[in-house]
Amino acid sequence: MTVTREAVLEALKTVGNPAGETDIVSAGMVKALTVDGGNVRFVLEIDPARAQVMEAARAEAEAKVKALSGVTTATVVMTAHATPKAPPDLKPKAAAQPSGPEKIPGVQRIIAVASGKGGVGKSTVSANLATALAAEGRKVGLLDADVYGPSQPRMLGVTGRPASPDGKTILPLRNHGVTMMSLGLMTQEDEAVVWRGPMLMGALQQMLFQVQWGALDVLIVDLPPGTGDVQMTLAQKAQVDGAIVVSTPQDVALLDARKGIDMFKKMNTPIIGMIENMSTHICSNCGHEEHIFGHGGVAQEAAKLGVPLLAEIPLHLDIRTSADGGAPIVVSKSASPQAAAFRTLAKTLIAGGNA
């Protein structure tokens, strides 16, 4: 028997809301409910001040969904909604001490891979860099923080669902020597994530601090393009050791890359360097080399900003088909010149003490 969305909602209506007289469904606390065969996933949006009280409701909701006929797994993630602002307090008080970025237990270094705009190959670079570092003997994790367009499950060939043995700790998945976590593992591939900033920040913090990453030499964080909530939350909550900015050589991409670098500087995050992706294209028929997006623009920008140019990655069909096939080119065609570019990048980061 296949469980339906309506059956899940009816079961959840029997779970009381500790914060009021209604149930958690009527209170509007159940968000992003998905039913994929026997796999049920949803978010419980709560008041952060009542997190401990709501844990019992979360556990009860998970148990009642699991008890439904046709349900094989039930995943419930709690996240915090924005709380209304209190009236201004004019009484003098001691200055609040802001809590600084925290270190993720077991993770030695965190590298953010960012881009000013989409479509420059940031996620492809992240996947290949992670597998290249793993090939060099590093213990590597990859956090897909591109919450609106999570692509790492496809690129790394991961199709399972993360488990949570105690309702708090999330067990990541692993392939090609890389430990990986992505919001895309908890949603259907064609399902849009329609979340506001507070929900995104809550989900990111859970993926950072509630995932059982284990002992890692380096955690690669694949960020969404631009300079938004996710980038700021990462820099404010986790100790990011450095950022790598990916761009194509064209002026439009470089214009946005400068904004990304400026954001990291304002967040006091060191810039490890820049990568010029889609740097050159060599025709597979005649061998002619052509710089489709121009050439050298990223190198000039890196020199202007005083940061290293870490790599020039070619534009090649095999890089794209390998990523679409679930095995980055570093894994699928490890002896190719394109894979060598990523292996050299990994060695450069290791030699510089960044990975």
Side-chain angles (χ1 to χ4, degrees):
M1 178 179 177
T2 302
V3 67
T4 64
R5 179 185 175 90
E6 290 71 23
V8 173
L9 288 173
E10 287 301 317
L12 292 176
K13 286 180 181 179
T14 65
V15 180
N17 172 20
E21 297 180 356
T22 60
D23 58 84
I24 60 174
V25 175
S26 301
M29 301 168 68
V30 177
K31 305 289 185 180
L33 172 63
T34 61
V35 179
D36 182 11
N39 300 310
V40 178
R41 301 172 300 280
F42 62 91
V43 172
L44 199 59
E45 189 179 71
I46 65 166
D47 181 348
R50 302 184 62 85
Q52 291 185 346
V53 176
M54 289 304 303
E55 172 56 29
R58 188 210 62 76
E60 181 184 354
E62 183 178 275
K64 290 195 173 182
V65 172
K66 282 184 178 178
L68 292 174
S69 177
V71 173
T72 54
T73 64
T75 304
V76 186
V77 178
M78 286 200 303
T79 187
H81 61 70
T83 54
K85 292 183 178 180
D89 185 1
L90 301 181
K91 296 179 182 179
K93 59 180 67 177
Q97 297 297 321
S99 57
E102 300 178 28
K103 193 171 182 63
I104 299 176
V107 178
Q108 296 300 313
R109 301 186 67 81
I110 299 178
I111 297 177
V113 179
S115 66
K117 68 187 298 296
V120 299
K122 166 189 52 62
S123 294
T124 302
V125 168
S126 297
N128 279 282
L129 174 57
T131 50
L133 286 169
E136 295 298 323
R138 287 297 192 264
K139 296 177 182 177
V140 184
L142 177 57
L143 171 57
D144 187 0
D146 193 351
V147 289
Y148 289 125
S151 54
Q152 294 302 342
R154 168 65 68 89
M155 291 187 177
L156 289 181
V158 176
T159 56
R161 302 288 182 183
S164 179
D166 58 1
K168 297 179 181 178
T169 305
I170 304 170
L171 302 181
L173 301 181
R174 184 175 174 84
N175 200 16
H176 306 310
V178 177
T179 301
M180 193 270 287
M181 182 61 197
S182 170
L183 193 64
L185 296 172
M186 303 179 70
T187 60
Q188 298 181 21
E189 194 173 38
D190 57 352
E191 179 185 2
V193 177
V194 187
W195 287 359
R196 294 186 184 274
M199 293 186 68
L200 290 179
M201 292 183 283
L204 177 61
Q205 290 184 65
Q206 285 185 303
M207 290 193 293
L208 283 169
F209 296 104
Q210 290 183 227
V211 170
Q212 194 176 78
W213 290 109
L216 296 179
D217 294 314
V218 59
L219 175 64
I220 305 294
V221 182
D222 179 18
L223 290 171
T227 55
D229 287 336
V230 173
Q231 288 86 343
M232 289 188 292
T233 300
L234 175 67
Q236 290 170 345
K237 299 298 182 181
Q239 288 186 8
V240 181
D241 295 278
I244 295 173
V245 178
V246 181
S247 179
T248 55
Q250 64 192 114
D251 291 341
V252 172
L254 286 169
L255 179 65
D256 291 331
R258 294 186 197 111
K259 297 175 183 176
I261 291 173
D262 183 61
M263 178 203 68
F264 283 119
K265 288 182 177 179
K266 289 178 179 177
M267 302 299 292
N268 296 318
T269 300
I271 303 296
I272 296 174
M274 299 183 69
I275 293 174
E276 182 171 281
N277 196 29
M278 308 181 199
S279 179
T280 184
H281 175 257
I282 298 177
C283 178
S284 58
N285 291 324
C286 67
H288 172 68
E289 182 177 9
E290 186 174 11
H291 301 290
I292 297 175
F293 296 105
H295 182 66
V298 178
Q300 294 174 10
E301 191 66 26
K304 185 188 303 181
L305 296 170
V307 300
L309 176 66
L310 298 172
E312 293 180 330
I313 307 298
L315 175 64
H316 198 280
L317 179 63
D318 287 346
I319 297 178
R320 194 273 299 171
T321 55
S322 296
D324 284 351
I329 197 166
V330 170
V331 176
S332 63
K333 296 186 178 181
S334 58
S336 66
Q338 295 77 36
F342 290 108
R343 292 292 292 269
T344 300
L345 170 61
K347 292 175 182 177
T348 298
L349 292 176
I350 293 172
N354 294 304

